[in-house]
């Protein structure tokens, strides 16, 4: 059942490319227009949506944070991302023109279920992005867009995360299509770029696993890890930190790279690892330079610096002790590849420490209590 892998988590990480591919399948026509027939909300209703609120927990909430960057850019409506357990208790502003998107792998997370019930009581429409057919969250939602990642057995979520990003992106592109906020050509181009992602993820798995494992060995005795990223790299940093704390029981903190000087830099200690998600260097945009100078600063304080960076980035090597390379891809799609070495890093650290990677202590696969 583990298909020759030592653990479900290892198997499921290697299914990241398929999860992306299968979630895209059948969701666009020959030309590249988005077709979401299964989502039974009238295009007119979608056209009227003026705000999205994503409700989710844990990894699913980080997929929502990634999607915020893309959907706001493509659709020009505000997207809020709220932890489901916080949402319900703050009197959120919900109208019939608000689309609440509940993201959940299991479809049984009680916090997320309670949040969507509250949203529906207030007259908002709820669309579920879910990996489990027929589970409670899609059943109680107005519409569902399934992620086709296949069953996820390991407690730590991996392939479901990349599939959630893809599903949320399809929703964003569909909204852009019905609201005419992107040209058809632009949508077709993004669809083509999405279709190219499974091969890029596969390339990371094929070429970076050795470096990741050597890094895990080198860092086995580290006391704490810091993860930092900017823009879409910020939720990826949060996700990398969550994976490592969940299964390797290592104290980790993920944060936005721009926050470094506002506090977290005080945590940097000689020899302790800092993992940095580096945006593309193409065009040497300002974000790239700012993140590079963040690495420089932590390096100057003795940190062991691990970067996730784009192939061909000639700046990163100056300050990074080790680099996990990602193939070139558009910034908004980079989380789909950047998270992969971080999933592998958590797996390797846990495995090398002798822990049960599929069933970490204190955790359950679906959290069915509030
Ligand atoms: C992380 C993890 C949890 C879940 C969270 C939401 O690896 O597994 O953080 O992502 O409990 O679960 P779902 O997506 O089932 O609602």
């Amino acid at each position: 059942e583990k298909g020759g892998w030592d653990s479900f988590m290892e198997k499921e990480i290697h299914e990241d490319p398929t999860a992306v591919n299968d979630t895209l399948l059948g969701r666009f026509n020959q030309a590249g227009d988005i077709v979401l027939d299964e989502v039974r909300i009238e295009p007119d209703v979608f056209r009227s949506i003026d705000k999205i609120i994503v409700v989710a927990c844990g990894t699913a909430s980080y997929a929502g944070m990634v999607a915020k960057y893309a959907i706001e850019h493509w659709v020009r409506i505000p997207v809020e991302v709220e932890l489901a357990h916080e949402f319900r208790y703050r009197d959120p502003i919900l109208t019939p023109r608000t689309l609440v998107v509940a993201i959940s792998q299991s479809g049984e997370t009680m916090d997320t279920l309670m949040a969507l019930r509250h949203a529906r009581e207030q007259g908002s429409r709820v669309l579920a992005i879910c990996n489990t057919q027929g589970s409670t969250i899609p059943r109680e939602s107005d519409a569902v867009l399934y992620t086709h990642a296949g069953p996820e057995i390991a407690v730590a979520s991996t392939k479901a995360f990349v599939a959630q990003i893809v599903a949320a992106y399809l929703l964003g592109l569909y909204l852009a299509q019905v609201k005419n906020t992107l040209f058809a050509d632009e949508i077709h181009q993004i669809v083509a770029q999405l279709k190219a992602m499974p091969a890029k993820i596969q390339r990371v798995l094929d070429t970076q696993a050795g470096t990741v494992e050597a890094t895990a060995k080198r860092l086995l005795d580290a006391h704490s890890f810091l993860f930092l990223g900017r823009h879409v790299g910020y939720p990826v940093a949060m996700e990398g930190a969550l994976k490592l704390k969940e299964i390797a029981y290592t104290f980790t903190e993920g944060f936005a790279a721009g926050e470094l000087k506002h506090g977290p830099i005080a945590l940097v200690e000689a020899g302790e690892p800092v993992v940095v998600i580096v945006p593309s260097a193409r065009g040497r945009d300002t974000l790239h330079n700012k993140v590079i100078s963040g690495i420089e600063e932590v390096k100057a304080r003795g940190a062991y610096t691990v970067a996730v960076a784009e192939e061909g980035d000639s700046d990163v090597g100056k300050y990074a002790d080790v680099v996990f390379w990602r193939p070139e891809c558009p910034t908004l799609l980079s989380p789909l590849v950047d998270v992969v070495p971080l999933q592998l890093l958590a797996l390797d650290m846990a495995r090398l420490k002798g822990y049960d990677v599929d069933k970490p202590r204190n955790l359950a696969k679906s959290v069915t209590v509030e």
Side-chain angles (χ1 to χ4, degrees), residues 86-298:
E86 286 296 318
F87 171 77
R88 211 160 66 91
Y89 298 98
R90 69 162 173 95
D91 198 11
I93 299 165
L94 292 159
T95 76
R97 302 182 67 177
T98 308
L99 180 68
V100 171
V101 178
I103 308 182
S104 175
Q105 188 286 129
S106 63
E108 300 296 344
T109 300
M110 188 56 76
D111 288 317
T112 308
L113 181 60
M114 296 309 275
L116 80 84
R117 281 184 185 159
H118 179 72
R120 293 193 73 197
E121 276 162 19
Q122 305 297 308
S124 293
R125 284 206 172 63
V126 176
L127 180 142
I129 290 178
C130 184
N131 197 46
T132 312
Q133 299 273 338
S135 54
T136 312
I137 287 172
R139 269 197 281 117
E140 292 205 16
S141 299
D142 296 287
V144 54
L145 187 55
Y146 280 108
T147 46
H148 294 146
E152 194 179 63
I153 310 292
V155 164
S157 189
T158 54
K159 61 178 179 172
F161 176 72
V162 288
Q164 284 159 353
I165 293 173
V166 170
Y169 277 21
L170 287 167
L171 173 66
L173 291 171
Y174 183 70
L175 280 162
Q177 187 171 287
V178 297
K179 281 172 163 290
N180 274 313
T181 53
L182 289 179
F183 293 115
D185 281 358
E186 294 175 295
I187 293 174
H188 301 167
Q189 192 191 0
I190 299 165
V191 166
Q193 289 164 340
L194 277 165
K195 282 163 73 177
M197 293 312 289
K200 296 188 184 195
I201 300 172
Q202 190 60 50
R203 179 180 164 105
V204 173
L205 289 167
D206 292 343
T207 65
Q208 302 303 298
T211 315
V212 174
E213 190 179 6
T215 306
K217 281 197 181 118
R218 163 85 174 65
L219 297 175
L220 218 48
D221 296 322
H223 294 113
S224 61
F225 275 68
L226 301 181
F227 286 78
L228 47 122
R230 249 187 123 110
H231 190 258
V232 287
Y234 165 37
V236 172
M238 301 295 289
E239 172 60 5
L242 178 63
K243 285 293 89 95
L244 200 52
K245 70 181 70 150
E246 270 186 302
I247 63 161
Y249 316 144
T250 306
F251 200 91
T252 66
E253 183 86 44
F255 52 89
E259 275 296 285
L260 200 55
K261 55 187 172 304
H262 300 288
I265 198 158
L267 289 170
V268 173
E269 272 183 60
E272 293 294 306
V274 178
V275 182
V276 187
I277 317 299
V278 183
S280 167
R282 266 168 291 134
R284 290 289 182 282
D285 73 22
T286 48
L287 277 191
H288 173 264
N289 294 342
K290 287 190 168 141
V291 173
I292 293 288
S293 59
I295 307 182
E296 186 179 355
E297 278 175 37
V298 296

